[in-house]
Amino acid sequence: MLESFADGLIYGLVGLSESSHWGESLHFFVYETAKIGLLLVAVTHLMGLINAYLPVERVREWIASGRLRGSEHLVASGFGAVTPFCSCSSIPLFIGFLQGGIPLGVTLSFLITSPLVNEVALALFIGLFGRQVTLLYAASGIVLGTVLGWALGRMGLGRFVEDWVWEIAENKTEEAESDTRSLWERLPSVSREAMGIVTDIAPYVLAGLAIGAGIHGFVPTGFFEQYLSGGNPLAVPLSVVLAVPMYANASGIIPVVQALVAKGIPLGTAMAFMMAVVGLSLPEAMMLKKAMQTRLLATFFGTVGVSIVALGYLFNWVL
């Protein structure tokens, strides 16, 4: 139905040719915007209902309680996967975890997974790449956060967190109040919050779709194949290096990834590019520098970057 709408609007009403650059680009933009828009609204409302009964403060207290018996990293990574945050918006929660007494390695598990995997990104992945690729991507992101958080936590890097974070943690005595409203009473606020997320994400999605549409309609197939094709053994690390100066959340970069794959870039290379864009951006590094000393920041970015490169090669081999 959506594709028929895009056909009628672009090829019928506007009158562009299916074989023209502008026709291909605008059709891609209209169709993907309609599809992704519906997914965004539906998924954010669903997760809003779930998150209404899973407050961040309660999760933080649960992780810090010591009752998880060694599964703290997996739980923190899983929590990161169900929170719709980009890398920069995850940082305040990361600092809050530290101030709440949660070990550094556990907080890093959350920080790694949160921008890579969330319900919005997975909904888009299902719509664009299918269930098999979506499951592989989600599992890889959660495992990456769990394993790297555990490994970094065992390196004794807590001394490289800036002193002001620990000073606030020592003085923090706030206690969250529980919300006793019924589900029916919560619905208006849940809907407002969900639409707020959609509104916040929309510019990134539209920007990503515009870039993807431009690539889809105007960039020759051989342009990206020259540098990131499967025949280049260094394509995966090159894609990660090129991604770091960029910044977007997962929702905004997924349409770009789809356009790259359509132009012949191996899926694993494109996915490594996406993971580096959302998980290793320069704005994130600048924000983390306020809470981390250089050694911890370099160790964090280095281990995540190398792991993303390894995942890219793995994706190319499996897919």
Coordinates of all heavy atoms in Angstrom, one line a residue, residues 116 125 137 235-241 243-244 257 265-280 304-305 307-316:
L116 N 23.8 1.3 20.1 CA 23.8 0.4 19.1 C 22.5 -0.3 18.8 O 22.1 -0.6 17.7 CB 24.9 -0.7 19.3 CG 26.4 -0.2 19.4 CD1 27.3 -1.4 19.7 CD2 26.8 0.5 18.1
F125 N 15.3 -2.1 11.3 CA 16.1 -3.2 10.7 C 15.2 -4.3 10.2 O 15.4 -4.8 9.1 CB 17.0 -3.8 11.8 CG 18.5 -3.6 11.5 CD1 19.1 -2.5 12.0 CD2 19.2 -4.5 10.7 CE1 20.5 -2.2 11.7 CE2 20.5 -4.3 10.5 CZ 21.2 -3.1 11.0
Y137 N 22.2 -8.7 14.3 CA 22.7 -7.4 14.8 C 22.4 -7.2 16.3 O 23.2 -6.8 17.0 CB 22.0 -6.3 14.0 CG 22.4 -4.9 14.4 CD1 23.6 -4.4 13.9 CD2 21.6 -4.2 15.2 CE1 24.0 -3.1 14.3 CE2 22.0 -2.9 15.6 CZ 23.2 -2.4 15.2 OH 23.6 -1.1 15.6
A235 N 38.5 -2.9 3.7 CA 37.2 -2.2 3.6 C 36.5 -2.0 5.0 O 36.0 -0.9 5.3 CB 36.2 -2.9 2.6
V236 N 36.6 -3.0 5.8 CA 35.9 -2.9 7.1 C 36.6 -1.9 8.0 O 35.9 -1.0 8.5 CB 35.8 -4.3 7.8 CG1 35.2 -4.1 9.2 CG2 34.9 -5.2 6.9
P237 N 37.9 -2.0 8.3 CA 38.5 -0.9 9.1 C 38.4 0.5 8.5 O 38.3 1.5 9.2 CB 39.9 -1.4 9.3 CG 40.2 -2.4 8.2 CD 38.8 -3.0 7.9
L238 N 38.4 0.5 7.2 CA 38.3 1.8 6.5 C 36.9 2.4 6.8 O 36.8 3.6 7.0 CB 38.6 1.7 5.0 CG 38.4 3.0 4.2 CD1 39.4 4.0 4.7 CD2 38.7 2.7 2.7
S239 N 35.9 1.6 6.7 CA 34.6 2.1 7.0 C 34.4 2.6 8.4 O 33.7 3.6 8.6 CB 33.5 1.0 6.7 OG 33.6 0.0 7.7
V240 N 35.1 2.0 9.4 CA 35.0 2.4 10.7 C 35.7 3.7 10.9 O 35.2 4.6 11.6 CB 35.6 1.3 11.7 CG1 35.7 1.8 13.1 CG2 34.8 0.0 11.6
V241 N 36.9 3.9 10.3 CA 37.7 5.1 10.4 C 36.9 6.3 9.8 O 36.8 7.4 10.4 CB 39.0 5.0 9.7 CG1 39.7 6.3 9.6 CG2 39.9 4.0 10.5
A243 N 33.7 6.5 9.6 CA 32.5 6.8 10.4 C 32.7 7.6 11.6 O 31.7 8.3 12.0 CB 31.9 5.4 10.8
V244 N 33.9 7.6 12.2 CA 34.1 8.2 13.5 C 33.8 9.7 13.5 O 33.1 10.3 14.4 CB 35.5 8.0 14.1 CG1 35.8 8.8 15.3 CG2 35.6 6.5 14.4
V257 N 22.7 3.0 5.5 CA 23.2 1.7 5.3 C 22.5 0.9 4.3 O 23.1 0.2 3.4 CB 23.1 0.9 6.7 CG1 23.5 -0.5 6.5 CG2 24.0 1.6 7.7
I265 N 27.9 -2.5 -1.5 CA 28.7 -2.6 -0.3 C 28.3 -3.9 0.5 O 27.1 -4.0 0.7 CB 28.7 -1.4 0.6 CG1 29.0 -0.1 -0.2 CG2 29.6 -1.5 1.7 CD1 30.3 -0.2 -1.0
P266 N 29.3 -4.7 0.9 CA 28.9 -5.9 1.7 C 28.1 -5.5 2.9 O 28.5 -4.5 3.5 CB 30.2 -6.5 2.0 CG 31.1 -6.1 0.9 CD 30.7 -4.7 0.5
L267 N 27.2 -6.3 3.3 CA 26.3 -5.9 4.5 C 27.1 -5.8 5.7 O 26.9 -4.8 6.5 CB 25.2 -7.0 4.7 CG 24.2 -6.7 5.8 CD1 23.5 -5.4 5.6 CD2 23.2 -7.8 5.8
G268 N 28.1 -6.6 5.9 CA 28.9 -6.5 7.2 C 29.7 -5.3 7.2 O 29.9 -4.6 8.3
T269 N 30.3 -4.8 6.1 CA 31.0 -3.6 6.0 C 30.1 -2.4 6.3 O 30.5 -1.5 7.1 CB 31.7 -3.4 4.6 OG1 32.5 -4.5 4.4 CG2 32.5 -2.1 4.6
A270 N 28.9 -2.4 5.7 CA 27.9 -1.3 6.0 C 27.5 -1.3 7.4 O 27.3 -0.2 8.0 CB 26.7 -1.5 5.0
M271 N 27.3 -2.5 8.0 CA 26.9 -2.5 9.4 C 28.0 -2.1 10.4 O 27.7 -1.4 11.4 CB 26.4 -4.0 9.8 CG 25.1 -4.4 9.1 SD 24.7 -6.1 9.3 CE 24.3 -6.2 11.0
A272 N 29.2 -2.4 10.0 CA 30.4 -1.9 10.8 C 30.4 -0.4 10.7 O 30.7 0.3 11.7 CB 31.7 -2.5 10.3
F273 N 30.2 0.2 9.6 CA 30.1 1.6 9.4 C 29.0 2.2 10.3 O 29.2 3.2 11.0 CB 29.8 1.9 7.9 CG 29.6 3.4 7.6 CD1 30.6 4.3 7.5 CD2 28.3 3.9 7.5 CE1 30.4 5.6 7.3 CE2 28.0 5.2 7.2 CZ 29.1 6.1 7.1
M274 N 27.8 1.6 10.3 CA 26.7 2.1 11.1 C 27.1 2.0 12.6 O 26.9 3.0 13.4 CB 25.5 1.3 10.8 CG 24.4 1.5 11.8 SD 23.0 0.4 11.6 CE 22.2 0.6 13.2
M275 N 27.6 0.9 13.1 CA 28.0 0.8 14.5 C 29.0 1.8 14.9 O 28.9 2.3 16.0 CB 28.4 -0.7 14.8 CG 27.4 -1.7 14.5 SD 28.0 -3.4 14.8 CE 27.8 -3.6 16.6
A276 N 29.9 2.1 14.1 CA 31.0 3.1 14.4 C 30.4 4.5 14.4 O 30.7 5.3 15.3 CB 32.1 3.0 13.4
V277 N 29.4 4.8 13.5 CA 28.8 6.1 13.5 C 28.0 6.3 14.8 O 28.1 7.4 15.4 CB 27.8 6.3 12.3 CG1 27.0 7.5 12.4 CG2 28.6 6.3 11.0
V278 N 27.2 5.4 15.2 CA 26.4 5.6 16.4 C 27.1 5.3 17.7 O 26.7 5.8 18.8 CB 25.1 4.7 16.3 CG1 24.3 5.0 15.1 CG2 25.5 3.2 16.4
G279 N 28.2 4.6 17.7 CA 28.8 4.2 19.0 C 30.2 4.8 19.2 O 30.7 4.7 20.3
L280 N 30.8 5.5 18.2 CA 32.1 6.0 18.4 C 32.2 7.4 17.8 O 33.2 7.8 17.1 CB 33.1 5.1 17.7 CG 33.3 3.7 18.2 CD1 34.3 2.9 17.3 CD2 33.9 3.8 19.6
V304 N 36.3 -0.8 21.7 CA 35.0 -0.9 20.9 C 35.3 -0.8 19.4 O 34.7 -1.5 18.6 CB 34.1 0.3 21.4 CG1 32.8 0.3 20.5 CG2 33.7 0.1 22.8
G305 N 36.2 0.1 19.0 CA 36.5 0.2 17.6 C 37.1 -1.1 17.0 O 36.6 -1.6 15.9
S307 N 36.6 -4.1 18.2 CA 35.6 -5.1 18.2 C 34.6 -4.9 17.1 O 34.1 -5.9 16.5 CB 34.8 -5.0 19.6 OG 35.7 -5.3 20.6
I308 N 34.3 -3.7 16.7 CA 33.3 -3.4 15.6 C 34.0 -3.9 14.3 O 33.3 -4.5 13.4 CB 33.0 -1.9 15.5 CG1 32.1 -1.6 16.7 CG2 32.3 -1.6 14.2 CD1 31.8 -0.1 16.8
V309 N 35.3 -3.7 14.1 CA 35.9 -4.2 12.9 C 35.8 -5.7 12.8 O 35.5 -6.3 11.8 CB 37.4 -3.7 12.9 CG1 38.2 -4.5 11.8 CG2 37.5 -2.2 12.7
A310 N 36.1 -6.4 14.0 CA 35.9 -7.8 14.0 C 34.5 -8.3 13.7 O 34.3 -9.3 12.9 CB 36.4 -8.4 15.4
L311 N 33.5 -7.6 14.2 CA 32.1 -7.9 13.9 C 31.8 -7.7 12.4 O 31.1 -8.5 11.8 CB 31.2 -7.1 14.7 CG 31.0 -7.5 16.2 CD1 30.1 -6.5 16.9 CD2 30.4 -8.9 16.3
G312 N 32.4 -6.7 11.8 CA 32.2 -6.4 10.4 C 32.7 -7.6 9.6 O 32.0 -8.0 8.6
Y313 N 33.9 -8.0 9.9 CA 34.4 -9.2 9.1 C 33.5 -10.4 9.4 O 33.3 -11.2 8.4 CB 35.8 -9.5 9.6 CG 36.9 -8.6 9.0 CD1 37.6 -7.7 9.7 CD2 37.1 -8.5 7.6 CE1 38.6 -6.9 9.2 CE2 38.0 -7.7 7.0 CZ 38.8 -6.9 7.8 OH 39.7 -6.0 7.2
L314 N 33.0 -10.6 10.6 CA 32.2 -11.7 10.9 C 30.9 -11.7 10.2 O 30.4 -12.7 9.6 CB 31.9 -11.8 12.4 CG 31.0 -12.9 12.9 CD1 31.5 -14.3 12.6 CD2 30.7 -12.7 14.4
F315 N 30.3 -10.5 10.1 CA 29.0 -10.3 9.4 C 29.2 -10.6 7.9 O 28.4 -11.3 7.3 CB 28.5 -8.9 9.5 CG 28.0 -8.5 10.9 CD1 28.1 -7.2 11.4 CD2 27.5 -9.5 11.7 CE1 27.7 -6.9 12.6 CE2 27.0 -9.2 13.0 CZ 27.1 -7.9 13.5
N316 N 30.3 -10.2 7.3 CA 30.6 -10.4 5.9 C 30.7 -11.9 5.7 O 30.3 -12.5 4.6 CB 31.8 -9.7 5.4 CG 31.6 -8.2 5.2 OD1 30.4 -7.8 4.9 ND2 32.6 -7.4 5.2

